[in-house]
Amino acid sequence: MITKQMEQMLSSKQDGFLIPAEIVANVQEDNHLDHAFLVLTKVKYSSIPVLDKEQHFKGILTLPMLTETMLGLNGIDPTRLSKKKVSEVMQKNFPTIKLPYDIEEILHLMVNHPFLIVVNDDGVFTGIVTRREVLKAVNYMTHDFDKHYAITEKESSTIQK
């Protein structure tokens, strides 16, 4: 369990966590993979959210999923991308979070994911929280904790590696 004081410091920075949906590259589940390849290439991301026409989050598409689709018996065949839709290869099982954020949940999920999808109660995509933004808050906390709280070491305290 995260200490109350650390959670308060991290929570004070959570307004900066969200990168709004309007500026996050995404693809539609019914787009062909050649379009998705262009989007991923232009934005220089390795993965992007997949949405439906109503902006509901449906999954994640990664560059390795596209390259796997292009691989054939005789090498790389980019024409295979125009024959499949995003919904056929996307990862559907991906964690989502909602406001208000649970800081401890975010920290646990960020161990395995470079970003988290934020949705509203109806599953509509509202943005992402990136590991970079969370680490900025952790950096703030580690550098400024003693400016907000008195720190005293417990006698029996030993830090384990």
Side-chain angles (χ1 to χ4, degrees):
M1 172 176 250
I2 191 169
T3 65
K4 183 178 128 188
Q5 296 82 1
M6 289 184 178
E7 183 173 11
Q8 286 174 341
M9 286 191 76
L10 291 173
S11 293
S12 73
K13 297 294 183 185
Q14 75 177 347
D15 287 346
F17 287 2
L18 183 70
I19 298 173
E22 298 80 38
I23 62 171
V24 175
N26 65 74
V27 291
Q28 301 289 310
E29 63 183 342
D30 60 353
N31 289 145
H32 282 94
L33 293 178
D34 53 352
H35 171 75
F37 183 72
L38 288 172
V39 173
L40 274 167
T41 302
K42 288 293 182 189
V43 298
K44 297 180 178 146
Y45 293 155
S46 61
S47 60
I48 54 175
V50 177
L51 310 177
D52 66 13
K53 291 184 186 311
E54 291 80 36
Q55 303 302 300
H56 293 100
F57 173 70
K58 294 298 181 180
I60 293 292
L61 184 70
T62 68
L63 204 48
M65 291 171 186
L66 297 176
T67 54
E68 178 69 28
T69 302
M70 287 190 284
L71 293 177
L73 295 174
N74 298 321
I76 297 172
D77 181 5
T79 63
R80 297 176 76 168
L81 295 178
S82 63
K83 297 174 181 141
K84 286 193 173 188
K85 293 193 175 187
V86 170
S87 60
E88 296 177 63
V89 300
M90 69 184 189
Q91 176 187 344
K92 295 176 184 171
N93 183 10
F94 195 85
T96 61
I97 57 173
K98 296 178 185 174
L99 284 170
Y101 301 135
D102 178 333
I103 299 296
E104 190 165 359
E105 177 187 20
I106 288 174
L107 292 174
H108 286 295
L109 291 170
M110 285 273 149
V111 169
N112 295 317
H113 301 284
F115 66 92
L116 299 173
I117 299 294
V118 182
V119 295
N120 68 14
D121 289 334
D122 297 322
V124 173
F125 176 65
T126 59
I128 61 173
V129 170
T130 64
R131 190 181 287 156
R132 179 179 192 267
E133 295 304 318
V134 173
L135 281 174
K136 284 183 192 178
V138 170
N139 188 45
Y140 157 74
M141 180 188 63
T142 58
H143 286 88
D144 289 9
F145 192 80
D146 63 340
K147 293 177 185 172
H148 299 276
Y149 299 98
I151 301 171
T152 57
E153 188 174 351
K154 293 181 180 180
E155 284 185 34
S156 62
S157 176
T158 58
I159 298 176
Q160 296 179 357
K161 294 180 182 183

